[in-house]
Amino acid sequence: MGREPAGTKARRSKDDPGYFPSSDEDFAMFPKLVLISISFLAIVCAQQAGTNTAETHPTMSWQKCTTGGGCTDAGSGSVVLDANWRWVHNVGGFTNCYTGNTWDSSLCPDDKTCAANCALDGADYSSTYGITTSGNALTLKFVTPNSSGKNIGSRVYLLASDSQYQMFKLLNQEFTFDVDVSNLGCGLNGALYFSEMDADGGMAKFPTNKAGAKYGTGYCDSQCPRDIKFIAGEANAEGWQPSPNDINAGTGNYGSCCNEMDVWEANNNAAAYTPHPCTAQGLQRCSGTACGGTDNRYGSICDPDGCDFNSYRMGDTSFFGQGMTVDTSSKFTVVTQFITDDGTASGTLSEIRRIYVQNGQVIQNSKVNIPGMDSSMDSITSDFCSAQKTAFGDRDSFGEKGGLANMGKAMANGMVLVMSIWDDHAANMLWLDSVYPTDGDATKPGIKRGTCATSSGVPADVESSVPNSSVTYSNIRFGDINSTFTATAKTGGSAATKSARGTVVKFGQCGGEGYTGPTACASGTSCTALNAHYSQCL
């Protein structure tokens, strides 16, 4: 098992921070009778956009890079809060459609009527949700006290415009960002990943969705989460079961499935990057056991486990953490390269490579130190994934769901950037940073994932003891392989003289007709001509 149990990732919606008095309470300017009357005015429409709070997206800049031209600003970017966190109320009024972890049965007797009666409202990003931006930096606070109580966690998406998500086509490209996890301990997860969502949040595909990307709709991931309040232009109220251990969450009849590329799931004790392929493209609404989950984990169209590279889990216990090779007590840079078999954007995804940069030095990813696996492995390839599943005794759901090939199809289609902070009501985040499963043999390869205690990560504990935890993502860059970072390579404790931008990693392109990038290959490889158009470091 590579990661969290099914449904956990989207179970990040917490208290309804936009809470207003319900129809059972006094509200001086809106008498009870008026509220009830207003709630049915838009019955012919669906999944409305509310107007009680103006939706103003926090700005966040980022850059596009090329090997020949360096990095330039990509235009006016911004972020939008996911719909699951928003105040959901009756259209034109102030009555909650959803309170705590239950739906109002009068406003939401069924999914279609609920979507017609209810609106997603605008967000006060800083005061209510603890979301702030400054230049190219985004900070997400874990617990934010507000006038309605408190908000816990958040999930945001990068926008290209007020009504469109920024789409990233990742093949033969690299994605780079700076991150500060020094204030993010055991049991917490600062996640940055890509989801195969629709650019408009589903408005064109599902005309009953009137809120769209502007209000953060259309979420999906490989866990096929069933706690999403609106899916495919309808509510998810039918069959809704409140969570027994989360006063703000529950599950409905439906789930929301799609390809997911976890570039970064981490705290200051452990980190993993993980592709999760599906057998279909784009958002797919599932029902019941076809969503997978506890009783039918591998029953959905998506791979819930993924093929993960967690340095600690892969046998290097001194690579990532406070005071280690990648020192999580201070900010560092994370580079992820999506390499294709022919070095072009139309090729097949063949490798996902990780590089770090800290204090001006490049740090290559850790090597595998697991019995039965090649010790030279240090990236995600098909061979790595097959060997890992065998060595750990895990089911190869990754291969069954199409592996890197299907993951690459989603990357070619375009994916949405997601950034979040969350705690885990299903498994206390032990799958990321501790021993998991806790009832297994701790000496078995793959069981130990980090240094955190098995008693850590209980949501009630972390929410009360470390509420001021936070994560900051900054300096996002995207472009050609080896174009998004410049630093001095760190090898055996000494600094090499070549800049990272001038060195091509193993399997990267180093020549060919029309190629203008770097030609020097990483140590141990040489530039080999495969044809007139393409040379590769092998």
Side-chain angles (χ1 to χ4, degrees):
M1 181 182 301
R3 53 165 290 154
E4 74 270 29
T8 305
K9 175 159 283 184
R11 193 173 289 131
R12 302 174 201 162
S13 55
K14 300 297 178 185
D15 303 296
D16 271 11
Y19 172 77
F20 277 75
S22 70
S23 59
D24 293 328
E25 300 176 88
D26 293 327
F27 197 94
M29 294 180 64
F30 290 87
K32 190 181 304 183
L33 180 60
V34 175
L35 286 174
I36 295 173
S37 300
I38 289 174
S39 69
F40 295 98
L41 288 178
I43 195 70
V44 296
C45 299
Q47 198 175 346
Q48 305 298 297
T51 58
N52 292 321
T53 300
E55 177 62 18
T56 303
H57 300 132
T59 60
M60 181 185 184
S61 62
W62 62 284
Q63 294 187 315
K64 289 183 178 178
C65 307
T66 62
T67 51
C71 298
T72 58
D73 289 342
S76 55
S78 60
V79 296
V80 59
L81 177 68
D82 179 90
N84 237 36
W85 270 258
R86 294 176 181 273
W87 176 34
V88 185
H89 60 81
N90 66 311
V91 174
F94 293 84
T95 302
N96 288 347
C97 289
Y98 184 92
T99 303
N101 58 13
T102 59
W103 292 90
D104 184 304
S105 59
S106 61
L107 291 169
C108 297
D110 59 71
D111 291 341
K112 291 182 178 173
T113 303
C114 184
N117 286 340
C118 299
L120 300 167
D121 220 297
D124 184 337
Y125 282 77
S126 176
S127 299
T128 300
Y129 299 98
I131 299 169
T132 56
T133 60
S134 177
N136 64 22
L138 166 72
T139 297
L140 304 178
K141 188 179 176 183
F142 177 41
V143 179
T144 304
N146 54 55
S147 59
S148 305
K150 61 182 177 180
N151 173 73
I152 301 172
S154 60
R155 181 168 63 217
V156 303
Y157 311 112
L158 186 66
L159 288 168
S161 69
D162 258 1
S163 59
Q164 294 279 314
Y165 297 128
Q166 179 66 51
M167 303 302 290
F168 288 88
K169 295 190 175 183
L170 299 170
L171 291 180
N172 195 41
Q173 299 284 282
E174 71 183 19
F175 183 89
T176 296
F177 64 99
D178 296 349
V179 66
D180 187 342
V181 293
S182 60
N183 191 34
L184 204 64
C186 295
L188 298 178
N189 189 335
L192 182 149
Y193 56 107
F194 288 98
S195 169
E196 197 185 7
M197 299 161 60
D198 292 323
D200 65 356
M203 290 184 73
K205 189 181 295 183
F206 309 107
T208 52
N209 178 354
K210 304 297 182 182
K214 181 177 180 179
Y215 290 85
T217 70
Y219 181 73
C220 54
D221 69 32
S222 63
Q223 307 299 309
C224 300
R226 293 173 60 184
D227 66 337
I228 306 300
K229 294 172 187 173
F230 292 92
I231 304 173
E234 296 182 5
N236 194 21
E238 293 179 32
W240 187 266
Q241 296 294 318
S243 170
N245 65 354
D246 187 342
I247 62 173
N248 305 289
T251 56
N253 286 339
Y254 298 108
S256 189
C257 309
C258 70
N259 285 277
E260 173 186 355
M261 176 63 225
D262 290 330
V263 172
W264 185 251
E265 293 193 280
N267 53 40
N268 58 28
N269 290 269
Y273 71 105
T274 313
H276 294 267
C278 304
T279 56
Q281 300 299 300
L283 186 152
Q284 304 290 326
R285 188 173 76 164
C286 62
S287 177
T289 57
C291 299
T294 305
D295 298 327
N296 189 35
R297 181 167 180 80
Y298 301 102
S300 80
I301 63 170
C302 297
D303 167 28
D305 295 350
C307 173
D308 66 306
F309 199 111
N310 172 331
S311 292
Y312 194 102
R313 190 180 189 221
M314 297 314 302
D316 191 335
T317 60
S318 63
F319 182 75
F320 184 91
Q322 295 173 321
M324 297 186 182
T325 304
V326 178
D327 185 0
T328 59
S329 62
S330 63
K331 184 170 70 174
F332 51 89
T333 299
V334 181
V335 183
T336 310
Q337 299 176 327
F338 301 95
I339 299 169
T340 59
D341 59 349
D342 65 358
T344 72
S346 59
T348 299
L349 180 66
S350 61
E351 180 182 16
I352 307 174
R353 173 162 289 279
R354 168 57 45 82
I355 300 168
Y356 298 93
V357 183
Q358 190 170 37
N359 298 324
Q361 294 184 323
V362 170
I363 305 170
Q364 296 295 335
N365 197 27
S366 60
K367 301 289 187 181
V368 167
N369 183 24
I370 296 294
M373 296 186 69
D374 188 334
S375 61
S376 68
M377 289 179 169
D378 60 1
S379 64
I380 292 176
T381 64
S382 294
D383 287 346
F384 166 85
C385 295
S386 296
Q388 182 204 62
K389 299 298 182 182
T390 299
F392 292 167
D394 291 340
R395 176 170 172 169
D396 188 9
S397 173
F398 181 76
E400 293 167 4
K401 295 302 193 290
L404 289 179
N406 274 356
M407 190 76 255
K409 291 177 183 178
M411 293 179 180
N413 292 337
M415 305 182 80
V416 174
L417 176 61
V418 188
M419 293 169 282
S420 69
I421 183 172
W422 60 292
D423 60 358
D424 181 2
H425 283 259
N428 300 341
M429 216 67 74
L430 302 179
W431 57 268
L432 173 67
D433 60 21
S434 185
V435 174
Y436 191 82
T438 56
D439 59 356
D441 180 0
T443 64
K444 179 184 174 183
I447 296 293
K448 292 182 179 179
R449 296 132 190 274
T451 60
C452 297
T454 55
S455 58
S456 67
V458 178
D461 294 343
V462 292
E463 289 167 17
S464 62
S465 62
V466 288
N468 292 322
S469 299
S470 62
V471 62
T472 298
Y473 308 106
S474 61
N475 203 16
I476 291 173
R477 288 140 287 158
F478 176 72
D480 297 339
I481 300 291
N482 289 323
S483 71
T484 66
F485 66 103
T486 302
T488 302
K490 183 179 181 181
T491 307
S494 62
T497 57
K498 281 191 176 290
S499 84
R501 189 170 284 156
T503 303
V504 181
V505 298
K506 185 178 181 181
F507 301 125
Q509 184 177 6
C510 56
E513 289 184 9
Y515 177 73
T516 59
T519 58
C521 291
S523 176
T525 65
S526 60
C527 192
T528 303
L530 302 183
N531 53 56
H533 305 285
Y534 186 74
S535 297
Q536 189 176 31
C537 290
L538 299 172

